[in-house]
Amino acid sequence: MPLYEHVYLARQDASTQQVEELTGQLKGVIENLGGSIKKTEYWGVKSLSYRLRKNRKAHFTLLDIDAPPPAINEIERLERLNEDVLRYLTIRVDAHEEGPSAMMRRAERDRDREERRERGDRGDRGDRGDRGERGERGRDRRGRDDSDDLENGMEN
């Protein structure tokens, strides 16, 4: 059977429980039509780039599906009828990605970064230590008064 990645966006007003119920309903439809869902990821409420039906945010959910094309047609039909679904996208893939998706890895990375910041850990950069005397730089250092004289056309 063909493999698909399916992402749908639900209204921000819908509760997380309602989104999970919708995911369960879609899973039931796919299983009844001879398919299976390999992975489900709830990405949470994210900001949209632009308003969709007066919504600035939406619940994002990813489904990795192994199902025949009629099952995909049916879940897309149900999503068009459902008022809570703002958008959906189904893409046929050669293989499903193992482990967490890029969105979930990003969320983990951000969470780890926030924990390090709270602990005061500097990560890979290490402690800079005492920088010591910096000394003069390579270019000619003139005092402020000397530069004013140059601007007025007088040299020493």
Side-chain angles (χ1 to χ4, degrees), residues 5 19 44 60 65 67 86 91 95 104-105 110 114 120 135:
E5 287 184 359
V19 174
F60 285 65
I65 303 171
L86 299 173
I91 299 174
M104 295 304 284
R105 287 192 304 262
D110 292 346
E114 185 63 32

Side-chain angles (χ1 to χ4, degrees), residues 2 6 11 14 24 27-28 31 38-39 52 61 70-71 73 79 88 104 110-111 121 125 131 136 145 152:
H6 180 81
R11 287 182 321 117
K27 184 176 182 178
E31 289 173 351
K38 301 299 182 188
K39 178 173 64 173
L52 293 175
T61 305
N73 292 340
E79 288 174 332
Y88 61 86
M104 295 304 284
D110 292 346
R111 202 170 23 254
D121 187 8
R125 295 184 337 185
R131 297 179 94 183
E136 288 292 321
D145 295 333
N152 295 331

Side-chain angles (χ1 to χ4, degrees), residues 26-91:
L26 297 175
K27 184 176 182 178
V29 168
I30 289 171
E31 289 173 351
N32 287 339
L33 294 172
S36 63
I37 294 190
K38 301 299 182 188
K39 178 173 64 173
T40 302
E41 287 184 357
Y42 174 70
W43 293 343
V45 178
K46 305 241 179 247
S47 296
L48 300 172
S49 297
Y50 54 89
R51 294 176 81 177
L52 293 175
R53 294 191 214 156
K54 299 182 181 179
N55 289 282
R56 293 186 184 276
K57 295 184 177 193
H59 294 270
F60 285 65
T61 305
L62 168 74
L63 306 172
D64 280 353
I65 303 171
D66 183 7
I72 301 302
N73 292 340
E74 181 62 18
I75 65 167
E76 288 180 350
R77 185 186 73 79
L78 291 173
E79 288 174 332
R80 277 193 301 273
L81 295 173
N82 193 326
E83 293 177 357
D84 289 337
V85 177
L86 299 173
R87 289 277 197 277
Y88 61 86
L89 177 67
T90 306
I91 299 174

